[in-house]
Amino acid sequence: SAFDWPCEVFAMVKHNNEIPNQHFHKDWMRRVRTWFDQPAKKVARRNARKEKAARAAPRPVGQLRPAVQCQTARYNMRVRAGRGFTLAELKAAGISRNVARTIGISVDYRRTNKCQESLEANVQRLKTYLSKLVWNEKKATGAIDVAGKATVSSIDTAFPVKPSAPVAEFVTVDDKLRSKEAYQATRELFNEPLRAVIRMKKAREAEDK
């Protein structure tokens, strides 16, 4: 009969464990999110970009971006497109921050220039952009004339951010260079700011006396 099973079959679990109470009937198919419209969405986004470019014509799509260095010591030798031009760069190029946004120039009021080289490079980039900008008297916006007659549809393609190729310099090694100690020279350059502070402190003490 059904009650002739051994007692081990109906034995309780050992130790103070959690009683098995798994639920495997949670109707999971209603909670799965599918993405079958991915190819169609791709086509829709592409068509939307074409319509936007047609509405903005002859004005190109996009904004002019500055050339900035990447962050961290690992990537700081690489050049990429930044968020926007600094206020100092716009001022040096003679462009107002409010007018810059209306003619396709991005503005970043948070970034600051750390060196004169980057400032001059981005100012030259702005001047090149303004020299190729064709103003429209009827509208506040204009087209960008790159090759004299050709009007571009995208600013990114007309003004790409290209990294500058490093130029190797060759030096003839003579007796004067051989006599110098490289390690000693680097240590002297490293200690020069500290020595300058000490010299200023001694000169100040001498004046007080």
Side-chain angles (χ1 to χ4, degrees):
S1 63
F3 299 99
D4 294 339
W5 293 90
C7 60
E8 288 81 3
V9 177
F10 303 100
M12 190 60 183
V13 294
K14 293 183 179 180
H15 311 297
N16 189 19
N17 299 331
E18 182 182 0
I19 298 176
N21 192 21
Q22 288 82 5
H23 295 75
F24 296 106
H25 302 280
K26 293 186 178 180
D27 199 5
W28 61 271
M29 286 184 288
R30 289 196 302 109
R31 295 173 173 82
V32 174
R33 183 172 182 178
T34 59
W35 199 19
F36 298 128
D37 59 344
Q38 180 186 9
K41 289 291 185 180
K42 181 180 179 180
V43 176
R45 288 193 299 268
R46 185 174 184 178
N47 294 333
R49 288 193 297 267
K50 289 183 179 180
E51 293 176 1
K52 182 179 180 180
R55 289 195 305 267
R59 180 178 179 179
V61 178
Q63 289 184 328
L64 183 68
R65 304 287 180 179
V68 299
Q69 302 292 132
C70 294
Q71 296 180 348
T72 70
R74 182 176 182 180
Y75 300 105
N76 59 5
M77 75 290 298
R78 294 176 53 185
V79 179
R80 65 174 179 84
R83 180 182 179 89
F85 292 90
T86 61
L87 302 181
E89 294 168 352
L90 295 174
K91 184 177 180 180
I95 306 173
S96 173
R97 70 178 74 177
N98 297 327
V99 177
R101 291 189 174 94
T102 62
I103 59 177
I105 299 175
S106 58
V107 181
D108 187 6
Y109 62 90
R110 296 173 298 182
R111 186 171 66 88
T112 57
N113 295 101
K114 303 297 183 182
C115 63
Q116 187 67 22
E117 289 80 1
S118 65
L119 176 64
E120 294 176 355
N122 285 323
V123 169
Q124 183 62 34
R125 185 173 171 83
L126 287 171
K127 291 181 179 180
T128 305
Y129 176 80
L130 292 177
S131 65
K132 297 180 181 298
L133 193 66
V134 179
W135 296 95
N136 192 346
E137 297 180 356
K138 296 181 180 180
K139 296 182 180 180
T141 60
I144 293 181
D145 191 357
V146 176
K149 295 182 180 179
T151 303
V152 299
S153 60
S154 176
I155 296 179
D156 297 334
T157 57
F159 299 93
V161 177
K162 297 181 180 180
S164 59
V167 179
E169 297 181 0
F170 297 93
V171 179
T172 303
V173 180
D174 52 3
D175 295 336
K176 185 178 180 180
L177 290 177
R178 292 192 184 95
S179 62
K180 289 185 177 181
E181 294 289 338
Y183 179 76
Q184 182 179 358
T186 55
R187 295 306 301 176
E188 289 178 356
L189 291 175
F190 179 79
N191 293 327
E192 181 59 29
L194 303 177
R195 294 175 181 174
V197 173
I198 295 174
R199 288 194 298 266
M200 291 173 59
K201 185 177 180 181
K202 289 183 178 180
R204 195 179 300 109
E205 291 177 355
E207 292 177 358
D208 294 341
K209 291 181 180 181

